[in-house]
């Protein structure tokens, strides 16, 4: 149990376009979902935390208008990279947890975004 | 602010040898502690976690970790490493009093296994 999927697994887009990445908890209801960004050979950087039905909480330095997060249901959160530029190219990973205090975060397989 | 330190950026061991990956945290109380593994181009897989109780925690794939409060450490161990264990390992902590389950990750340790 506790499987998290992401779609797409990789995407290539032109500069200036928007890209949507989906994160789904397949066999549990996720009260909270997290979005991370990972640069090559580096650790994960938390971008934002989203709770179902409420606005996402963004980490300092993360542009809210650039990275739009929607947590529309207990099993789906989406990250939209708006007007993507080459510097947005990265590995984006989501995670989900059942409750807000004690539960473990279960991670998706990640999405490789390349902006040309 | 809490922090997590993984002192070893790279570790190389021979297949069949024992392994210990170090993790130290800086936090006033006892946080929740996790070890995750990441294979190239993949997401993170939970190896084990410590919330309370027995300080020696067993995980998947033959891994175990020991919480030592006096040393603020949560080192990951495996008695005999397999070539398939080559990956990036991340230690993470969560502040249980912070009102959420946000994780703070260490910088990771890259494990290479020599055949």
């Amino acid at each position: 149990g506790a499987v998290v999927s992401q779609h797409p697994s990789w995407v290539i887009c032109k500069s200036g376009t928007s890209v949507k990445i989906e994160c789904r908890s397949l066999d549990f209801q996720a009260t909270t979902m997290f979005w991370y960004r990972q640069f090559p050979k580096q650790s994960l950087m938390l971008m934002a935390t989203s709770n179902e039905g409420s606005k996402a909480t963004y980490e300092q330095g993360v542009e809210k208008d650039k990275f739009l997060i929607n947590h529309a249901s207990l099993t789906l959160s989406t990250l939209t990279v708006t007007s993507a530029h080459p510097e947005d190219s990265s590995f984006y990973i989501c995670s989900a947890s059942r409750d807000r205090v004690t539960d473990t975060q279960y991670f998706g397989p990640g999405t490789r975004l390349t902006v040309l | 602010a809490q922090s997590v330190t993984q002192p070893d950026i790279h570790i190389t061991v021979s297949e069949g040898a024992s392994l210990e990956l170090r993790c130290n945290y800086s936090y006033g109380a006892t946080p929740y502690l996790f070890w995750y593994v990441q294979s190239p181009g993949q997401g993170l897989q939970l190896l084990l976690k410590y919330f309370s109780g027995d300080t020696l925690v067993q995980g998947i794939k033959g891994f175990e970790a020991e919480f030592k409060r006096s040393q603020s450490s949560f080192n990951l161990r495996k008695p005999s490493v397999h070539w398939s264990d080559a990956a990036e390992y991340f230690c993470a902590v969560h502040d249980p009093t912070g009102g959420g389950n946000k994780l703070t990750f260490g910088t990771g340790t890259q494990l290479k296994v020599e055949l």
Side-chain angles (χ1 to χ4, degrees):
Chain A
V3 179
V4 177
S5 70
Q6 277 184 247
H7 178 79
S9 55
W10 58 270
V11 57
I12 301 173
C13 69
K14 293 182 178 180
S15 185
T17 61
S18 294
V19 175
K20 180 183 284 188
I21 302 170
E22 291 187 349
C23 177
R24 293 182 185 273
S25 56
L26 299 184
D27 53 1
F28 67 99
Q29 292 187 325
T31 305
T32 308
M33 287 184 167
F34 303 82
W35 287 95
Y36 294 85
R37 185 173 179 176
Q38 186 179 32
F39 292 101
K41 300 188 183 300
Q42 294 190 26
S43 189
L44 280 73
M45 181 192 79
L46 179 65
M47 299 174 66
T49 303
S50 73
N51 295 304
E52 185 264 340
S54 61
K55 289 184 178 181
T57 302
Y58 291 81
E59 295 299 300
Q60 193 171 10
V62 177
E63 300 176 61
K64 300 178 183 181
D65 296 332
K66 160 70 80 175
F67 300 101
L68 300 179
I69 291 172
N70 185 302
H71 193 159
S73 75
L74 285 172
T75 59
L76 173 65
S77 176
T78 59
L79 167 68
T80 301
V81 183
T82 62
S83 187
H85 288 91
E87 57 266 29
D88 298 324
S89 298
S90 192
F91 193 54
Y92 293 88
I93 306 176
C94 74
S95 70
S97 66
R98 294 185 183 91
D99 69 62
R100 299 179 188 181
V101 179
T102 62
D103 200 14
T104 305
Q105 288 185 33
Y106 298 96
F107 285 79
T111 296
R112 172 74 58 193
L113 170 62
T114 301
V115 184
L116 302 177
Chain B
Q2 59 189 13
S3 65
V4 183
T5 302
Q6 293 181 247
D8 304 303
I9 299 174
H10 300 281
I11 282 186
T12 300
V13 298
S14 299
E15 189 176 36
S18 63
L19 171 71
E20 182 169 33
L21 302 182
R22 295 183 291 167
C23 174
N24 294 93
Y25 65 90
S26 173
Y27 183 63
T30 300
Y32 295 161
L33 298 157
F34 305 82
W35 274 101
Y36 287 90
V37 60
Q38 183 181 35
S39 297
Q42 301 295 315
L44 276 66
Q45 181 181 23
L46 177 68
L47 288 175
L48 46 79
K49 59 186 177 183
Y50 173 79
F51 286 176
S52 65
D54 192 345
T55 57
L56 185 62
V57 180
Q58 301 298 319
I60 63 171
K61 304 184 178 185
F63 285 94
E64 66 178 26
E66 185 172 12
F67 168 60
K68 293 186 177 180
R69 185 191 308 273
S70 61
Q71 300 177 18
S72 296
S73 70
F74 188 57
N75 294 347
L76 182 70
R77 301 194 295 249
K78 186 170 185 177
S80 178
V81 170
H82 189 263
W83 64 267
S84 60
D85 292 325
E88 185 89 20
Y89 291 80
F90 292 97
C91 180
V93 301
H94 156 53
D95 174 7
T97 64
N101 55 351
K102 190 161 62 173
L103 290 175
T104 300
F105 283 88
T107 51
T109 297
Q110 182 71 48
L111 173 64
K112 180 180 176 181
V113 180
E114 291 182 332
L115 301 177

